[in-house]
Amino acid sequence: MAKYFNTTGVCRPSEHYMVSLDGRLAEIRRMIDRKYYFSINRGRQYGKTTTLAALKHFLRADFIVASLDFQFLSQADFASDRTFSAAFARRFALALRCVPEAEGKALDRIKKYGDEGCGISALFEELSEFCASAPKPVVLLIDEVDSASNNQVFLDFLALLRGYYLQREEFPTFQSVILAGVYDIYDINDIRNLKQKVRPDSEHRHNSPWNIAAAFDVNMDLETEGIAGMLAEYEADYHTGMDVGQMAGLLYEETCGYPFLVSRLCQLMDERIPGNGEFPDRETVWSREGLLAAEKILLMEKNTLFDSLINKLTDYPKLRELLYSMLFLGERVVFNSHNDFIQLASMFGFVKNVNGAIQVANRIFETVLYNLFLSEEEVSDRTFSVAAADRNQFIQNGSLNMELLLEKFVVHWGDLYHSADEKFIEENGRKFFLLYLKPVINGVGNYYIEARTRDRGRTDVIVDYRGRQYIIEIKIWRGEEYNRRGEAQLVSYLESYHAQKGYLLSFNFNKNKVPGVKEISWDGKVIFEAMV
């Protein structure tokens, strides 16, 4: 059977196109050699389960690996330490059923505990006996621990892991224990209690039974080089003629290496887009234009990753406020790992630390958030409705007339918000321009915000429409000198995008301003300026 791009469940090299995990596995192996216990905490669909599956095979020559998944334990299994111990014993024995080195009296007794039940202390005594008699060091992997966390029986389980870890010279135990999930076990109670703003056990952070865990700093993003390796394998099968290095760079640029997003975009380019419209075959798809077409489909579809992102904003209103202020108000939020909501957003994979400040993790997440926040105002906002009514005049011969769009925006802004005060404009200007832009390009073009230029004073919007890019700088008017600096910055930015024309939209609070549009030349570039 031919390989394919997979976005559901475990990825396997024999079946799927995937990035090589060898480097990642080697880093984890070094932690195991040092007898570390640790957690792999990453956002949803970040490759945790795939990593554990690959790790099991990577280690089996030198270790006995017991790989468990707590999804197979029911709520009833956590009702008491006896029911949990029996369920754990059954899953442990099942995980080792095809490992001849694991066979012996100790495993037989563990199997018996699975049938008859036992207390959790007795279970650990037998696990210690198993580790002592095993011919190789034993590594315990547990996936989906989120389903067990915040449960007293599970905390007792962690406490016993900790106890045996600290006294391993006297009581043999696992070489290494790895827990995988979205939440950090160390902080799980505090994080979940943010919903209710209550902390029933204020001391639990300091007394966590998982405070023995080593920091897990292994990078699980898909890097450009790794993506290129995956695409090279695909190219060897299909001979599309793609520029593998360029395509890998574009995929990373859009996703920052978020595994699901990379795989889903590739999956769409391979399966959904060929044979449609301007992409009659695979050869035409694997291009920048094909990637943008895939991104449009991705942004419009309903999937579990986007649902998780949006649901977290409902669950944690403070997180929503944080992201909104970053996106629309240009607030610079300093990264602080002790801030609950920054930690939460980072844990879910929604934000990252860039030079000491937080940013939304990738362009796709950022666009999902912009679309969400804007959609909540589309129905009632007049800016959106007037743009939707004028949409056809801005599309001429299949191209977007950005000059006319900005000219009409100046007129409509004057009609709708001429009496607005400075605070209103500063907080809502860029949002209202995006509301004006969105119905015009919707379904055909994409837009994203250039994070490195976004602050309270300015932001750059990059619009892709039918293969052409429009670079629009939106800024607050701070006088002629500041405006000249903005023009120079835009020209520099045009150079990096190899573009000849750029657009400058200024929100001016001066009562004596003269709204309108003009066109200027600067170092061989053209700047179309609009002022409201």
Side-chain angles (χ1 to χ4, degrees):
M1 178 180 175
K3 287 187 177 183
Y4 58 96
F5 294 102
N6 181 45
T7 56
T8 56
V10 178
C11 291
R12 299 179 177 86
S14 61
E15 300 178 30
H16 308 124
Y17 294 113
M18 58 182 290
V19 170
S20 171
L21 301 180
D22 288 351
R24 182 188 306 177
L25 298 176
E27 288 188 66
I28 298 175
R29 167 66 190 261
R30 283 193 287 273
M31 298 182 71
I32 291 170
D33 287 340
R34 295 179 179 182
K35 302 182 180 180
Y36 287 158
Y37 285 25
F38 55 95
S39 299
I40 300 178
N41 304 116
R42 293 295 185 274
R44 299 209 178 277
Q45 295 177 288
Y46 221 105
K48 300 181 296 296
T49 300
T50 293
T51 296
L52 290 186
L55 185 63
K56 176 183 175 180
H57 294 284
F58 189 76
L59 298 174
R60 62 184 176 184
D62 301 315
F63 300 91
I64 291 175
V65 183
S67 182
L68 283 68
D69 186 336
F70 272 7
Q71 286 186 115
F72 288 101
L73 273 62
S74 69
Q75 186 174 352
D77 291 328
F78 290 95
S80 68
D81 72 336
R82 191 173 185 85
T83 56
F84 171 79
S85 298
F88 184 93
R90 289 193 298 272
R91 299 310 305 181
F92 186 86
L94 189 61
L96 298 176
R97 68 190 183 283
C98 297
V99 182
E101 302 114 311
E103 294 298 331
K105 293 181 180 179
L107 186 60
D108 289 340
R109 287 193 293 270
I110 291 172
K111 291 177 182 176
K112 185 177 180 181
Y113 283 159
D115 294 332
E116 300 177 0
C118 66
I120 196 167
S121 296
L123 171 66
F124 266 82
E125 290 170 7
E126 208 54 67
L127 290 172
S128 179
E129 287 295 323
F130 175 82
C131 292
S133 60
K136 298 177 183 178
V138 182
V139 175
L140 176 64
L141 312 179
I142 305 179
D143 199 8
E144 297 294 343
V145 293
D146 293 342
S147 58
S149 51
N150 217 12
N151 179 291
Q152 186 57 51
V153 172
F154 180 64
L155 294 178
D156 293 342
F157 172 75
L158 292 180
L160 281 164
L161 283 177
R162 179 180 184 273
Y164 277 86
Y165 171 87
L166 294 175
Q167 300 186 51
R168 61 172 62 196
E169 292 185 3
E170 185 176 354
F171 301 105
T173 189
F174 300 109
Q175 164 90 6
S176 184
V177 175
I178 305 172
L179 309 181
V182 172
Y183 290 90
D184 185 343
I185 297 301
Y186 188 77
D187 294 313
I188 185 66
N189 287 333
D190 281 333
I191 290 297
R192 287 189 169 168
N193 287 330
L194 288 177
K195 289 184 184 180
Q196 292 83 28
K197 302 293 190 304
V198 296
R199 299 177 185 231
D201 180 2
S202 61
E203 296 299 317
H204 101 276
R205 280 185 186 233
H206 307 291
N207 298 329
S208 169
W210 198 235
N211 60 11
I212 57 171
F216 182 76
D217 297 322
V218 176
N219 183 13
M220 292 181 65
D221 298 339
L222 304 186
E223 300 287 354
T224 304
E225 183 179 353
I227 298 172
M230 174 180 67
L231 294 181
E233 186 180 3
Y234 178 88
E235 181 64 11
D237 288 341
Y238 290 101
H239 309 288
T240 70
M242 81 167 87
D243 184 325
V244 169
Q246 180 189 50
M247 182 56 61
L250 289 172
L251 281 162
Y252 184 81
E253 195 173 274
E254 296 302 305
T255 64
C256 287
Y258 200 110
F260 170 82
L261 298 177
V262 173
S263 295
R264 183 57 178 154
L265 288 171
C266 289
Q267 188 177 52
L268 290 169
M269 285 190 284
D270 178 52
E271 299 177 9
R272 285 275 300 275
I273 298 177
N276 294 317
E278 59 190 294
F279 304 104
D281 49 38
R282 282 192 173 95
E283 286 73 14
T284 54
V285 167
W286 291 93
S287 60
R288 185 176 178 280
E289 292 71 27
L291 175 61
L292 292 175
E295 191 171 324
K296 277 186 288 187
I297 296 173
L298 175 60
L299 289 169
M300 294 176 67
E301 73 180 9
K302 185 178 176 63
N303 59 56
T304 55
L305 180 59
F306 293 168
D307 284 349
S308 175
L309 171 58
I310 293 168
N311 289 340
K312 293 298 183 293
L313 303 186
T314 301
D315 291 341
Y316 305 98
K318 288 290 185 181
L319 175 59
R320 178 190 180 90
E321 292 174 18
L322 175 72
L323 293 172
Y324 186 94
S325 67
M326 287 170 53
L327 296 178
F328 287 111
L329 306 183
E331 296 285 359
R332 184 180 188 275
V333 181
V334 175
F335 182 85
N336 184 336
S337 60
H338 300 294
N339 179 297
D340 288 326
F341 293 101
I342 291 176
Q343 179 198 15
L344 180 73
S346 180
M347 183 188 302
F348 291 142
F350 302 155
V351 303
K352 58 184 178 180
N353 178 5
V354 179
N355 299 323
I358 63 170
Q359 287 185 6
V360 178
N362 55 68
R363 285 179 180 172
I364 292 178
F365 279 178
E366 189 167 90
T367 305
V368 168
L369 291 170
Y370 271 115
N371 287 343
L372 172 67
F373 291 141
L374 292 173
S375 68
E376 294 171 346
E377 302 191 36
E378 286 174 2
V379 175
S380 60
D381 188 84
R382 292 173 293 171
T383 309
F384 182 88
S385 60
V386 295
D390 290 344
R391 180 187 185 280
N392 290 337
Q393 66 179 295
F394 300 135
I395 309 302
Q396 299 171 355
N397 298 320
S399 297
L400 174 61
N401 188 331
M402 185 60 72
E403 293 86 348
L404 180 60
L405 186 146
L406 286 170
E407 186 177 344
K408 288 291 187 179
F409 178 75
V410 170
V411 173
H412 287 135
W413 180 271
D415 293 340
L416 297 175
Y417 303 110
H418 62 277
S419 61
D421 60 24
E422 180 173 330
K423 185 177 187 305
F424 174 86
I425 295 173
E426 188 164 7
E427 293 187 355
N428 295 284
R430 70 187 72 186
K431 176 176 71 176
F432 287 144
F433 176 71
L434 292 175
L435 277 168
Y436 195 82
L437 173 70
K438 195 166 178 283
V440 177
I441 67 170
N442 195 33
V444 178
N446 296 351
Y447 74 93
Y448 65 86
I449 310 303
E450 182 52 64
R452 57 186 163 162
T453 65
R454 182 182 57 227
D455 57 34
R456 288 197 68 89
R458 63 186 287 255
T459 189
D460 286 315
V461 179
I462 314 299
V463 178
D464 284 294
Y465 194 89
R466 293 194 181 279
R468 180 180 170 185
Q469 283 192 318
Y470 303 82
I471 293 91
I472 310 157
E473 179 176 325
I474 305 174
K475 68 184 186 62
I476 306 300
W477 177 269
R478 305 295 188 197
E480 287 289 351
E481 183 178 349
Y482 179 82
N483 191 63
R484 296 293 287 176
R485 291 201 302 270
E487 291 169 343
Q489 289 170 331
L490 179 55
V491 167
S492 173
Y493 204 42
L494 292 175
E495 287 285 354
S496 66
Y497 270 81
H498 308 290
Q500 286 299 116
K501 191 169 191 176
Y503 303 87
L504 187 61
L505 173 60
S506 298
F507 290 89
N508 192 334
F509 306 135
N510 191 329
K511 293 182 179 180
N512 298 320
K513 68 185 177 185
V514 180
V517 298
K518 65 178 181 179
E519 193 169 275
I520 68 168
S521 296
W522 185 304
D523 289 344
K525 305 293 184 183
V526 176
I527 300 178
F528 187 88
E529 295 191 13
M531 181 186 293
V532 297

